[in-house]
Every structure is written in structure tokens, then in C-alpha cells.
Amino acid sequence: MKKIGLRKLSAVAAVALSASVLSVAPAQANTTIKIITPNYTDAMPAYYADLNARFMAANPTIKVEHTNLSWDDILVKGRTLVATDSTPDILNLNTFSDYAAAGLLYKATDIFDAKTMADFVPAFIDNSKYNGVAYAVPDLASARMFFYNKQLLYTSGVTKVPTTWAEVTAAAKKIKKKYPRVYPIGLPLGSEEAQAEFAIWTGGNNGRYFDDKAKKWVINSKENLETMNYLTSLVKAGLTQPSPASTNRTDAFKLFSQGRIAMINASVFFPSTLKDYKSKVDYGVAPFPHSPKGKPITLGVQDYFMAFKKPGNEAAVKAWLNFLFQPTNYAGFLRAAGGFIPATKSASSAVDSSLLPFIEQLPNAIFYPGDLAAWPKVSGSIQTQIGTGVIKDPKGVLDKIQKVAVEAGVK
Amino acid sequence: MTATGIAEKKVKNRRPANSTLSALPWIGPSLLLILLVVVWPAIELIRISLTKITSAGVLEGFFGLGNYRLLFENPDLKTIAVRTLIWVFAVVSITVALSLPLAQLINQNFPGRKFVRWAMIVPWAASVVMTSIIWKWILELTSGEFNLTLQQLGLQDGQPVDWLRDPRYSFFVLVWVAVFVSIPFTTFVILAGLQSIPNDIVEASQVDGAGPWQIYRRIKFPLLRNALLIATIINLINVFNSFPIIWALTRGGPGYDTDTMITFAYKMAFVEYNMGPSTALGVINFAFIMLIVLIYLRVTKATRDQA
């Protein structure tokens, strides 16, 4: 999101230089660690270049080989690293559980001391557990809220920001009547983030993907089917953008930024995205609308840092991860990542005021069942298929994904 | 050396063992290359397809035909396979049908022919991903040039059409873009075929009183058989393997509605993290390509023997 030109280049050059200097350094007990991270924004490579240069200066026996990848690339690469024997030492990704299940990861407590562990936001650490043991740590998190275009809403005669499904429908109808070329509701159920879009709508109807108490998948539950039917009714009435099943989040965000979508579910970083799009839309943020039987919820999503067990790398991965989570370095990480919720309590006290409404929502947050080894696979099926529920057969699609989930297991 | 000497040497060289061995230094490097970049990956692919593999990419030992069983249990496979056949047939046949007259056109002498030929090569020379992204921009819902033009011409009232995301249109859009990138190569292969037709045959038929259509239908078209065969079969392989167009424009969506067996294999592995069946589909796709290659070799051998 934030573009960095020359600074990035010179920082990369600095790392290259220090790396080459290190490689000819006299023989010591040298360790090389490979780190792979995604670019939350274009500012990430420069941030890591600077961080690694300082880290290697402070730890002359450790050499860092850092790879920055786009999200698209890292999601693909994450699947082939282990199979091709090119497992990194440290990985930053949106899932961790299937690596933990395969016994590839260090426990979080092997990497961090009790004081640092206690500083992570407890809910985020809970989501980093596999079988009750933390095998990863949160790097940052997001929460979602209801974004609306003030001008479109108020000039259409909507006097109150919708808080329930019925109010959403009513407001959408008013907007459509006044502005026939505006899509009142953005419903991006394309594969990019369909799992999130459906989760937040159904969450407000008490629907979930996984029942934590009963330890079973509930994707084709009554609540989820009700949600699917409600969303289908919006689509049929022409209150959403066309082709919801193949509209990705990015596409819908662009339409909102152009004033073509009036109401949408969006994440905590959306304001900075709108700034990047040079959007002139005057928007408001509100808790996400819910059904009569539900209550307002938000969807919490977090990503992870994880360290892979390899002979002789423990001290080095420990040093690097602790270096990253030093308050000033971690603050830089959050700045470079652009507008996310911090994963540590200490960093949470110093956030930008625009984040506060989102942090206030966190007690109502529902999360993905990211602690299950089956989750990456189930999430993938939800992403590619759940959107077709609103254009084809709502029940059939939910049943199909439920079957995939049941086969993937509940561990 | 006498004539008999040469003849004797020729006979000697024809002995298989000797000739194979003596050819090795010449074909050795390319053989090694083929082993390395074709045979070895193919063997690896087959080996992995017989292995149990988790979503984290951990190999869990021999799985027999388990991955194939899982693949064939997939309820969407059949539709996708049928669509793949339609995709290949539609793109190749439309491409050839459009390339035949185009080749005829740029074979004529007219001012600016060089420029037209050059312009025709551009879509071929450009990266397919680039071409696809340009089409994506053109056909974009609210800001795409195509919808904007339709609106300005008054041909589209109300809401714009979502060419890329609406499954009623997107498959046809994909076919069109695939035809667009396949035409240059096909046209030039046919042009080469046209240029290899000896002028005296054409002149002789003119003397015999044949009209232009008759000349094309009875003389030129039959002589284009080889060029057409080669163009068709290479296009078959290209279009079947075509990944970037579909991935850049629709990602095979919504659901699997615009997937072919190639994009489906990728989607299974890297979006749905369903690695095992995906490797099995990889093997099947590979086998399909091998089949087309075999047909190609058969056909070219047959035409060579004929000549």
C-alpha cells in the first residue's frame, strides 16, 4: 500500500553488502537462517532489510537469508516448501496448524520467555494453539466492521445506520431507488476472501463453521443455511453488485472507493486502502448488522509467525524472533504492515485512534477454527465454492463443503 | 576414396550398434537435457501421485491409487473434463477458421503488407499474461473501455454487463481471448504453407480456366494439409495447457464454472490445499498431452512417408 522507491533499493543494497561481508568473515560457529514473509504492503521489504542489517550487526554469527513474497506467492509457496525440502527456519503466514500437526514447529514457549509470552493478547495466543499448545505467535490481527457511504445513505432517506438484516434490506432498497447505478450492498464472495465474507454475515445469525464445544463441523447448519438464503434474497432483488460469487474483495473495495457500492464489510486496514485509492468517499464505520436472533459480532483474523525445528537453528530463530518483537522493532513492523491491530498488549496501548472502534469490537470477535490442522483445506474449499450458494443451490453448496470438512477431520 | 569405398562406409555406418554409439557425443547433451527437464520431472510427478501428501506438503508414504480414487470421487471432475474438451475444440476450430482467410489476405501483395504482418505478430510476441490483463481492463465492470463504449453508443442501458464474472458470458470471453492469442501463430504457419505452394501449379490451373475459388478449393487448400495439421496439433497442446488466460481473467470461477483440467489441478493444490488428487490430475493431464504428441508424431511420419 505504501510505496517506497529509492529507500527500499538502498536498504536492499545495504543488506546485500553486509551479507557479503559476513560470508567472508573468519570461521565461527555460523548459522544461516532462512526467513520467508509476505508483503502486507510494499513497505515490508525495506522494513526487513533494515531490521536484518541491524540484527546481523548485533549477531555476527547469524546470517539471515530473507525472502519477501506477495500474498499470492506465499500462499502457493507455503504448500511446496515442505514437500520440496526447502522448509524455511521462520515463516510468516495466515495458517500454522497443519505444520504444527506434522510436528514441524517449535513450541512458542521454546522461543519466547514468560514475560514476552504474557505480553501477547491472550485471545490471539489461544488461536495459535494446536492441541492446547502454542506452536506459533500472532504477528498482527484484523477485525471487521460495517463501512457505509454517508452521502449515499443519507441522501436516499436512510436516517439510521442499519444494525439488523431487515434494516440493511430496507436501506438497500431506498438507495437502489434513488441511485439506480449504485450497488447498495457489496457482497464479495469471490475466492479471495469468501470465507471471511460469509463468516461475518452468518456470525450475526449465530452461524459458525466449527462447533468448538461439540468438536464438529457445522458448515451446513440451519443458521448457515438461513444466512445463505438471506444473502440469496439480496442478490435476487438486485441489491448487491452483479456476480457476487466471482467478485473478489479487492474488486468490491474499488467499487466502494468509487462510490458505486454503498455498504460493505471491510477490515481494519480499509481506511488506508481508501487513502491509497485516492477515494473521496465520506464513509462511516459501524458494528456489523445481525439477524433477529443474533447479536453484533466482528470477525477476528490473525496471522502467525512460526519457527521450524531444524538441527542447530534454535538459538538463531530465538534471537531473530525476539529481536523482531522488541517494542521499537515491532512498532516498525506494524507501521510497515499498515493499519492492523497489534498482537501485543504493550503495542496496543499506542495505536492510532482510528483503530480504536475495531479494538472495542474484539470482545465480540469470532475467529476461524485456525487451530485445526484441517482448517487450511476447509478454508480453501469455502473460498472457491461458498459464493456459488447465492447463485445456484444454497443447501447443496453448504452440504458439499460440509462433506469436504468432515473428511478433512476435526483435529 | 573410390565410389565403392564410400558405399561400403555407408553400409558400415548403418549398423545399429556402431551408429548409436558413435552418435552419442552429438546427441548426448540434448539427451541429458531431455532426461533432466522432461523425463525426470515426469517420473517425480508419477511418484508423488502415488504418495500420500498432507495439506502442509508432508509426504506420508505410499498411497497406491488412493489419490486417483479421491480425484474420481470429486463430483465436479466430470463437468470440468467436458468443459475442457469444449474449450479445446472451440478455441482451436475458431482459430483455424479465422486464420485461413487471414493468411490468404497477408499473402496478397498490397501496400502496407509489411506493417500488417508485423502488427499481427504483436499479440503472439507479447506475454499471454500481459494480453490477458489488458483484456481484463477492457472488460472490467464499471471502468472497462468496452462497457463505457457500449454506454456511450447507447447500446447498454441500465446496469453494465459483468463480462468477466458472470458465468453466462465469461467462458465465451475466455474463448475469444484464447483465439486472439492463437491466431498469429496459426496464421503464420498457414502463410508459410501458402508460400510453399509452387506458383506453376497455380498458373497451370489458371490457364486451364479455374476461377479463384476453384483454385483455392481444389489446389491450394489440399496443399495446405500439412501446415494445417501442424497448426492444429500445436494449438491443441497450447490451448489444453493454457493456464494464464483463465487464471488472469476469471481464476476458473465462480466456483469451478470456468475451470479446465489445468486450472483445476492448480486450484486444488494451491487454493483448496488438496494436494493428493491434484497430483493425480497432473498425471492425467500429462498423459493427455503425451497422447496428442503421439498422434502428432504419427501424423507427421505418415505425411513424410507419403512425400
Side-chain angles (χ1 to χ4, degrees), chain B residues 148-197:
Chain B
L148 292 179
T149 309
L150 286 184
Q151 279 158 27
Q152 277 158 7
L153 293 175
L155 295 172
Q156 195 182 68
D157 349 300
Q159 295 292 5
V161 175
D162 202 353
W163 301 105
L164 294 170
R165 300 190 190 88
D166 190 328
R168 280 175 298 174
Y169 308 109
S170 49
F171 187 69
F172 298 101
V173 169
L174 291 175
V175 169
W176 160 247
V177 176
V179 167
F180 179 82
V181 300
S182 307
I183 278 181
F185 168 77
T186 317
T187 306
F188 277 84
V189 171
I190 297 173
L191 176 66
L194 281 174
Q195 287 175 341
S196 70
I197 296 174

Short mmCIF file of all heavy atoms in Angstrom, two decimals, chain B residues 148-197:
data_model
loop_
_atom_site.label_atom_id
_atom_site.label_comp_id
_atom_site.label_asym_id
_atom_site.label_seq_id
_atom_site.Cartn_x
_atom_site.Cartn_y
_atom_site.Cartn_z
N LEU B 148 -17.91 1.09 -21.24
CA LEU B 148 -18.06 2.54 -21.40
C LEU B 148 -18.47 2.88 -22.82
O LEU B 148 -19.34 3.71 -23.05
CB LEU B 148 -16.75 3.26 -21.03
CG LEU B 148 -16.36 3.20 -19.55
CD1 LEU B 148 -15.03 3.91 -19.31
CD2 LEU B 148 -17.44 3.84 -18.69
N THR B 149 -17.83 2.20 -23.80
CA THR B 149 -18.15 2.46 -25.20
C THR B 149 -19.60 2.06 -25.49
O THR B 149 -20.34 2.81 -26.13
CB THR B 149 -17.21 1.66 -26.11
OG1 THR B 149 -15.86 1.92 -25.68
CG2 THR B 149 -17.36 2.07 -27.56
N LEU B 150 -20.00 0.89 -25.00
CA LEU B 150 -21.38 0.45 -25.22
C LEU B 150 -22.37 1.47 -24.68
O LEU B 150 -23.38 1.78 -25.32
CB LEU B 150 -21.62 -0.90 -24.54
CG LEU B 150 -21.02 -2.15 -25.19
CD1 LEU B 150 -21.44 -3.39 -24.43
CD2 LEU B 150 -21.48 -2.27 -26.64
N GLN B 151 -22.05 2.03 -23.50
CA GLN B 151 -22.96 3.01 -22.91
C GLN B 151 -23.02 4.28 -23.75
O GLN B 151 -24.08 4.84 -23.99
CB GLN B 151 -22.52 3.35 -21.49
CG GLN B 151 -22.97 2.32 -20.48
CD GLN B 151 -22.12 2.35 -19.22
OE1 GLN B 151 -21.57 3.39 -18.87
NE2 GLN B 151 -22.02 1.22 -18.56
N GLN B 152 -21.82 4.73 -24.21
CA GLN B 152 -21.79 5.96 -25.00
C GLN B 152 -22.53 5.79 -26.32
O GLN B 152 -23.12 6.74 -26.83
CB GLN B 152 -20.34 6.39 -25.24
CG GLN B 152 -19.78 7.16 -24.06
CD GLN B 152 -18.27 7.13 -24.01
OE1 GLN B 152 -17.62 6.64 -24.93
NE2 GLN B 152 -17.71 7.66 -22.95
N LEU B 153 -22.51 4.59 -26.85
CA LEU B 153 -23.22 4.34 -28.10
C LEU B 153 -24.71 4.08 -27.85
O LEU B 153 -25.48 3.86 -28.78
CB LEU B 153 -22.62 3.15 -28.84
CG LEU B 153 -21.20 3.34 -29.37
CD1 LEU B 153 -20.67 2.05 -29.96
CD2 LEU B 153 -21.17 4.44 -30.42
N GLY B 154 -25.08 4.08 -26.58
CA GLY B 154 -26.47 3.84 -26.24
C GLY B 154 -26.91 2.40 -26.41
O GLY B 154 -28.09 2.11 -26.51
N LEU B 155 -25.94 1.49 -26.47
CA LEU B 155 -26.29 0.07 -26.68
C LEU B 155 -26.53 -0.66 -25.36
O LEU B 155 -26.89 -1.82 -25.34
CB LEU B 155 -25.17 -0.63 -27.45
CG LEU B 155 -24.96 -0.13 -28.87
CD1 LEU B 155 -23.73 -0.75 -29.49
CD2 LEU B 155 -26.19 -0.44 -29.72
N GLN B 156 -26.25 0.02 -24.26
CA GLN B 156 -26.38 -0.64 -22.97
C GLN B 156 -27.09 0.31 -22.01
O GLN B 156 -26.51 1.30 -21.59
CB GLN B 156 -24.97 -0.97 -22.46
CG GLN B 156 -24.92 -1.95 -21.33
CD GLN B 156 -23.49 -2.15 -20.87
OE1 GLN B 156 -22.86 -1.27 -20.32
NE2 GLN B 156 -22.95 -3.33 -21.11
N ASP B 157 -28.34 0.04 -21.69
CA ASP B 157 -28.98 0.90 -20.70
C ASP B 157 -28.96 0.18 -19.37
O ASP B 157 -28.83 -1.03 -19.30
CB ASP B 157 -30.44 1.24 -21.05
CG ASP B 157 -30.81 0.84 -22.45
OD1 ASP B 157 -30.16 1.35 -23.36
OD2 ASP B 157 -31.75 0.01 -22.61
N GLY B 158 -29.12 0.97 -18.33
CA GLY B 158 -29.16 0.38 -17.00
C GLY B 158 -27.79 -0.10 -16.58
O GLY B 158 -26.78 0.52 -16.89
N GLN B 159 -27.78 -1.24 -15.89
CA GLN B 159 -26.54 -1.71 -15.30
C GLN B 159 -25.61 -2.31 -16.36
O GLN B 159 -26.06 -2.99 -17.27
CB GLN B 159 -26.85 -2.77 -14.25
CG GLN B 159 -27.63 -2.22 -13.05
CD GLN B 159 -26.80 -1.27 -12.21
OE1 GLN B 159 -25.68 -0.94 -12.56
NE2 GLN B 159 -27.37 -0.80 -11.12
N PRO B 160 -24.30 -2.05 -16.22
CA PRO B 160 -23.34 -2.64 -17.15
C PRO B 160 -23.24 -4.17 -17.00
O PRO B 160 -23.59 -4.71 -15.96
CB PRO B 160 -22.01 -1.98 -16.75
CG PRO B 160 -22.21 -1.48 -15.37
CD PRO B 160 -23.67 -1.17 -15.23
N VAL B 161 -22.81 -4.82 -18.05
CA VAL B 161 -22.67 -6.28 -18.03
C VAL B 161 -21.32 -6.66 -17.41
O VAL B 161 -20.30 -6.05 -17.70
CB VAL B 161 -22.77 -6.85 -19.46
CG1 VAL B 161 -22.51 -8.34 -19.45
CG2 VAL B 161 -24.13 -6.54 -20.05
N ASP B 162 -21.33 -7.67 -16.56
CA ASP B 162 -20.10 -8.12 -15.91
C ASP B 162 -19.48 -9.25 -16.73
O ASP B 162 -19.59 -10.42 -16.40
CB ASP B 162 -20.43 -8.60 -14.48
CG ASP B 162 -19.21 -8.57 -13.59
OD1 ASP B 162 -18.12 -8.31 -14.10
OD2 ASP B 162 -19.36 -8.80 -12.38
N TRP B 163 -18.81 -8.88 -17.80
CA TRP B 163 -18.31 -9.87 -18.77
C TRP B 163 -17.42 -10.93 -18.17
O TRP B 163 -17.44 -12.09 -18.59
CB TRP B 163 -17.53 -9.16 -19.88
CG TRP B 163 -18.35 -8.16 -20.61
CD1 TRP B 163 -18.30 -6.80 -20.50
CD2 TRP B 163 -19.38 -8.43 -21.58
NE1 TRP B 163 -19.23 -6.20 -21.32
CE2 TRP B 163 -19.90 -7.18 -21.99
CE3 TRP B 163 -19.91 -9.60 -22.11
CZ2 TRP B 163 -20.93 -7.07 -22.93
CZ3 TRP B 163 -20.93 -9.49 -23.04
CH2 TRP B 163 -21.43 -8.24 -23.44
N LEU B 164 -16.60 -10.54 -17.19
CA LEU B 164 -15.60 -11.47 -16.69
C LEU B 164 -16.11 -12.33 -15.54
O LEU B 164 -15.55 -13.38 -15.27
CB LEU B 164 -14.38 -10.70 -16.20
CG LEU B 164 -13.61 -9.97 -17.30
CD1 LEU B 164 -12.58 -9.06 -16.70
CD2 LEU B 164 -12.95 -10.99 -18.21
N ARG B 165 -17.14 -11.86 -14.84
CA ARG B 165 -17.52 -12.58 -13.63
C ARG B 165 -18.85 -13.30 -13.78
O ARG B 165 -19.14 -14.21 -13.01
CB ARG B 165 -17.61 -11.61 -12.45
CG ARG B 165 -16.28 -10.94 -12.20
CD ARG B 165 -16.28 -10.16 -10.91
NE ARG B 165 -15.07 -9.37 -10.85
CZ ARG B 165 -14.97 -8.15 -11.35
NH1 ARG B 165 -16.00 -7.57 -11.90
NH2 ARG B 165 -13.83 -7.51 -11.27
N ASP B 166 -19.66 -12.88 -14.73
CA ASP B 166 -20.94 -13.53 -14.93
C ASP B 166 -20.73 -14.80 -15.75
O ASP B 166 -20.29 -14.73 -16.90
CB ASP B 166 -21.88 -12.57 -15.66
CG ASP B 166 -23.31 -13.08 -15.68
OD1 ASP B 166 -23.47 -14.32 -15.71
OD2 ASP B 166 -24.23 -12.26 -15.68
N PRO B 167 -21.01 -15.98 -15.16
CA PRO B 167 -20.69 -17.22 -15.86
C PRO B 167 -21.43 -17.38 -17.20
O PRO B 167 -21.02 -18.19 -18.02
CB PRO B 167 -21.11 -18.32 -14.87
CG PRO B 167 -21.99 -17.65 -13.88
CD PRO B 167 -21.59 -16.21 -13.85
N ARG B 168 -22.47 -16.57 -17.42
CA ARG B 168 -23.16 -16.67 -18.71
C ARG B 168 -22.27 -16.14 -19.85
O ARG B 168 -22.43 -16.51 -21.00
CB ARG B 168 -24.46 -15.86 -18.68
CG ARG B 168 -25.60 -16.59 -17.99
CD ARG B 168 -26.80 -15.69 -17.89
NE ARG B 168 -26.50 -14.49 -17.09
CZ ARG B 168 -27.33 -13.47 -16.93
NH1 ARG B 168 -28.49 -13.48 -17.55
NH2 ARG B 168 -27.01 -12.44 -16.17
N TYR B 169 -21.36 -15.22 -19.51
CA TYR B 169 -20.54 -14.61 -20.55
C TYR B 169 -19.07 -15.01 -20.46
O TYR B 169 -18.36 -15.04 -21.46
CB TYR B 169 -20.61 -13.08 -20.47
CG TYR B 169 -22.01 -12.53 -20.44
CD1 TYR B 169 -22.53 -11.97 -19.28
CD2 TYR B 169 -22.83 -12.60 -21.57
CE1 TYR B 169 -23.82 -11.47 -19.25
CE2 TYR B 169 -24.12 -12.10 -21.54
CZ TYR B 169 -24.61 -11.55 -20.38
OH TYR B 169 -25.89 -11.06 -20.35
N SER B 170 -18.59 -15.27 -19.22
CA SER B 170 -17.13 -15.30 -19.04
C SER B 170 -16.45 -16.41 -19.84
O SER B 170 -15.34 -16.23 -20.32
CB SER B 170 -16.79 -15.39 -17.56
OG SER B 170 -17.52 -16.40 -16.93
N PHE B 171 -17.12 -17.55 -20.02
CA PHE B 171 -16.47 -18.63 -20.77
C PHE B 171 -16.23 -18.19 -22.21
O PHE B 171 -15.18 -18.46 -22.80
CB PHE B 171 -17.30 -19.91 -20.71
CG PHE B 171 -16.61 -21.09 -21.33
CD1 PHE B 171 -15.50 -21.65 -20.73
CD2 PHE B 171 -17.06 -21.63 -22.53
CE1 PHE B 171 -14.84 -22.73 -21.30
CE2 PHE B 171 -16.41 -22.71 -23.11
CZ PHE B 171 -15.31 -23.27 -22.49
N PHE B 172 -17.22 -17.47 -22.78
CA PHE B 172 -17.06 -17.02 -24.17
C PHE B 172 -15.96 -15.96 -24.28
O PHE B 172 -15.22 -15.93 -25.26
CB PHE B 172 -18.39 -16.47 -24.70
CG PHE B 172 -19.47 -17.52 -24.71
CD1 PHE B 172 -20.43 -17.55 -23.72
CD2 PHE B 172 -19.47 -18.51 -25.68
CE1 PHE B 172 -21.40 -18.54 -23.70
CE2 PHE B 172 -20.43 -19.50 -25.68
CZ PHE B 172 -21.40 -19.51 -24.70
N VAL B 173 -15.86 -15.14 -23.25
CA VAL B 173 -14.78 -14.15 -23.23
C VAL B 173 -13.43 -14.87 -23.23
O VAL B 173 -12.52 -14.51 -23.98
CB VAL B 173 -14.90 -13.23 -21.99
CG1 VAL B 173 -13.65 -12.40 -21.81
CG2 VAL B 173 -16.13 -12.35 -22.10
N LEU B 174 -13.33 -15.92 -22.42
CA LEU B 174 -12.08 -16.67 -22.36
C LEU B 174 -11.75 -17.28 -23.72
O LEU B 174 -10.61 -17.22 -24.18
CB LEU B 174 -12.18 -17.79 -21.31
CG LEU B 174 -12.25 -17.34 -19.85
CD1 LEU B 174 -12.46 -18.54 -18.95
CD2 LEU B 174 -10.97 -16.62 -19.46
N VAL B 175 -12.76 -17.86 -24.36
CA VAL B 175 -12.54 -18.46 -25.68
C VAL B 175 -12.05 -17.39 -26.66
O VAL B 175 -11.06 -17.60 -27.38
CB VAL B 175 -13.84 -19.12 -26.22
CG1 VAL B 175 -13.69 -19.49 -27.69
CG2 VAL B 175 -14.18 -20.35 -25.40
N TRP B 176 -12.69 -16.22 -26.61
CA TRP B 176 -12.28 -15.15 -27.52
C TRP B 176 -10.82 -14.74 -27.29
O TRP B 176 -10.05 -14.62 -28.23
CB TRP B 176 -13.22 -13.94 -27.38
CG TRP B 176 -12.60 -12.71 -27.91
CD1 TRP B 176 -12.22 -11.61 -27.22
CD2 TRP B 176 -12.21 -12.46 -29.27
NE1 TRP B 176 -11.63 -10.70 -28.04
CE2 TRP B 176 -11.61 -11.19 -29.31
CE3 TRP B 176 -12.30 -13.21 -30.46
CZ2 TRP B 176 -11.10 -10.63 -30.47
CZ3 TRP B 176 -11.80 -12.65 -31.63
CH2 TRP B 176 -11.21 -11.38 -31.63
N VAL B 177 -10.43 -14.55 -26.02
CA VAL B 177 -9.05 -14.13 -25.76
C VAL B 177 -8.07 -15.22 -26.19
O VAL B 177 -7.02 -14.94 -26.77
CB VAL B 177 -8.86 -13.76 -24.27
CG1 VAL B 177 -7.42 -13.41 -23.97
CG2 VAL B 177 -9.76 -12.59 -23.90
N ALA B 178 -8.43 -16.48 -25.96
CA ALA B 178 -7.55 -17.57 -26.37
C ALA B 178 -7.42 -17.61 -27.89
O ALA B 178 -6.33 -17.84 -28.42
CB ALA B 178 -8.08 -18.91 -25.84
N VAL B 179 -8.52 -17.37 -28.60
CA VAL B 179 -8.46 -17.32 -30.06
C VAL B 179 -7.56 -16.17 -30.50
O VAL B 179 -6.68 -16.32 -31.35
CB VAL B 179 -9.88 -17.15 -30.66
CG1 VAL B 179 -9.82 -16.78 -32.13
CG2 VAL B 179 -10.69 -18.42 -30.47
N PHE B 180 -7.74 -15.04 -29.84
CA PHE B 180 -6.97 -13.83 -30.16
C PHE B 180 -5.46 -14.08 -30.06
O PHE B 180 -4.70 -13.64 -30.91
CB PHE B 180 -7.41 -12.71 -29.20
CG PHE B 180 -6.70 -11.42 -29.39
CD1 PHE B 180 -7.10 -10.53 -30.37
CD2 PHE B 180 -5.63 -11.07 -28.57
CE1 PHE B 180 -6.45 -9.32 -30.55
CE2 PHE B 180 -4.97 -9.86 -28.74
CZ PHE B 180 -5.39 -8.99 -29.73
N VAL B 181 -5.02 -14.80 -29.01
CA VAL B 181 -3.58 -15.03 -28.88
C VAL B 181 -3.11 -16.20 -29.74
O VAL B 181 -1.91 -16.35 -29.96
CB VAL B 181 -3.13 -15.25 -27.41
CG1 VAL B 181 -3.46 -14.05 -26.56
CG2 VAL B 181 -3.74 -16.50 -26.84
N SER B 182 -4.03 -17.04 -30.23
CA SER B 182 -3.61 -18.19 -31.03
C SER B 182 -3.55 -17.86 -32.52
O SER B 182 -2.87 -18.55 -33.28
CB SER B 182 -4.57 -19.37 -30.83
OG SER B 182 -4.73 -19.66 -29.48
N ILE B 183 -4.28 -16.83 -32.94
CA ILE B 183 -4.37 -16.53 -34.36
C ILE B 183 -3.01 -16.22 -35.02
O ILE B 183 -2.71 -16.77 -36.07
CB ILE B 183 -5.40 -15.39 -34.61
CG1 ILE B 183 -6.81 -16.00 -34.63
CG2 ILE B 183 -5.15 -14.68 -35.93
CD1 ILE B 183 -7.90 -15.00 -34.87
N PRO B 184 -2.17 -15.38 -34.41
CA PRO B 184 -0.92 -15.03 -35.10
C PRO B 184 -0.09 -16.25 -35.50
O PRO B 184 0.27 -16.42 -36.66
CB PRO B 184 -0.17 -14.17 -34.09
CG PRO B 184 -1.21 -13.65 -33.19
CD PRO B 184 -2.29 -14.66 -33.15
N PHE B 185 0.17 -17.12 -34.53
CA PHE B 185 0.98 -18.30 -34.82
C PHE B 185 0.34 -19.13 -35.93
O PHE B 185 0.99 -19.51 -36.91
CB PHE B 185 1.13 -19.13 -33.54
CG PHE B 185 1.71 -20.50 -33.78
CD1 PHE B 185 3.07 -20.67 -34.01
CD2 PHE B 185 0.89 -21.62 -33.80
CE1 PHE B 185 3.59 -21.92 -34.25
CE2 PHE B 185 1.40 -22.88 -34.05
CZ PHE B 185 2.76 -23.02 -34.27
N THR B 186 -0.96 -19.38 -35.78
CA THR B 186 -1.67 -20.22 -36.75
C THR B 186 -1.62 -19.59 -38.14
O THR B 186 -1.33 -20.27 -39.14
CB THR B 186 -3.13 -20.39 -36.30
OG1 THR B 186 -3.14 -20.63 -34.90
CG2 THR B 186 -3.80 -21.53 -37.01
N THR B 187 -1.88 -18.29 -38.20
CA THR B 187 -1.87 -17.61 -39.49
C THR B 187 -0.50 -17.72 -40.16
O THR B 187 -0.40 -17.96 -41.37
CB THR B 187 -2.24 -16.13 -39.29
OG1 THR B 187 -3.47 -16.06 -38.59
CG2 THR B 187 -2.36 -15.41 -40.62
N PHE B 188 0.54 -17.57 -39.37
CA PHE B 188 1.87 -17.59 -39.98
C PHE B 188 2.27 -19.00 -40.42
O PHE B 188 2.97 -19.15 -41.42
CB PHE B 188 2.91 -16.95 -39.05
CG PHE B 188 2.91 -15.46 -39.18
CD1 PHE B 188 2.01 -14.67 -38.48
CD2 PHE B 188 3.78 -14.84 -40.07
CE1 PHE B 188 1.99 -13.30 -38.64
CE2 PHE B 188 3.77 -13.46 -40.23
CZ PHE B 188 2.87 -12.69 -39.51
N VAL B 189 1.83 -20.01 -39.70
CA VAL B 189 2.09 -21.38 -40.16
C VAL B 189 1.37 -21.61 -41.50
O VAL B 189 1.95 -22.15 -42.45
CB VAL B 189 1.64 -22.42 -39.11
CG1 VAL B 189 1.72 -23.83 -39.68
CG2 VAL B 189 2.49 -22.31 -37.87
N ILE B 190 0.12 -21.14 -41.58
CA ILE B 190 -0.63 -21.32 -42.83
C ILE B 190 -0.01 -20.47 -43.95
O ILE B 190 0.10 -20.92 -45.10
CB ILE B 190 -2.12 -20.96 -42.63
CG1 ILE B 190 -2.73 -21.92 -41.60
CG2 ILE B 190 -2.90 -21.05 -43.94
CD1 ILE B 190 -4.14 -21.57 -41.19
N LEU B 191 0.45 -19.27 -43.60
CA LEU B 191 1.12 -18.42 -44.59
C LEU B 191 2.35 -19.13 -45.16
O LEU B 191 2.57 -19.13 -46.37
CB LEU B 191 1.51 -17.09 -43.94
CG LEU B 191 2.29 -16.12 -44.82
CD1 LEU B 191 1.41 -15.63 -45.97
CD2 LEU B 191 2.80 -14.92 -44.02
N ALA B 192 3.12 -19.75 -44.25
CA ALA B 192 4.29 -20.49 -44.72
C ALA B 192 3.86 -21.60 -45.67
O ALA B 192 4.50 -21.85 -46.70
CB ALA B 192 5.04 -21.07 -43.53
N GLY B 193 2.74 -22.25 -45.34
CA GLY B 193 2.19 -23.30 -46.21
C GLY B 193 1.82 -22.73 -47.57
O GLY B 193 2.15 -23.31 -48.62
N LEU B 194 1.16 -21.57 -47.57
CA LEU B 194 0.75 -20.95 -48.83
C LEU B 194 1.96 -20.61 -49.69
O LEU B 194 1.95 -20.78 -50.91
CB LEU B 194 -0.04 -19.66 -48.54
CG LEU B 194 -1.50 -19.81 -48.12
CD1 LEU B 194 -2.08 -18.46 -47.73
CD2 LEU B 194 -2.31 -20.43 -49.26
N GLN B 195 3.02 -20.12 -49.02
CA GLN B 195 4.19 -19.69 -49.77
C GLN B 195 4.97 -20.87 -50.34
O GLN B 195 5.75 -20.71 -51.27
CB GLN B 195 5.09 -18.82 -48.89
CG GLN B 195 4.46 -17.45 -48.68
CD GLN B 195 5.25 -16.59 -47.72
OE1 GLN B 195 6.06 -17.11 -46.95
NE2 GLN B 195 5.02 -15.29 -47.76
N SER B 196 4.74 -22.07 -49.76
CA SER B 196 5.47 -23.22 -50.27
C SER B 196 4.76 -23.86 -51.46
O SER B 196 5.24 -24.82 -52.04
CB SER B 196 5.67 -24.25 -49.15
OG SER B 196 4.42 -24.82 -48.85
N ILE B 197 3.55 -23.33 -51.79
CA ILE B 197 2.85 -23.88 -52.96
C ILE B 197 3.50 -23.34 -54.23
O ILE B 197 3.58 -22.12 -54.40
CB ILE B 197 1.35 -23.47 -52.93
CG1 ILE B 197 0.68 -24.09 -51.69
CG2 ILE B 197 0.63 -23.93 -54.20
CD1 ILE B 197 -0.74 -23.62 -51.50
#
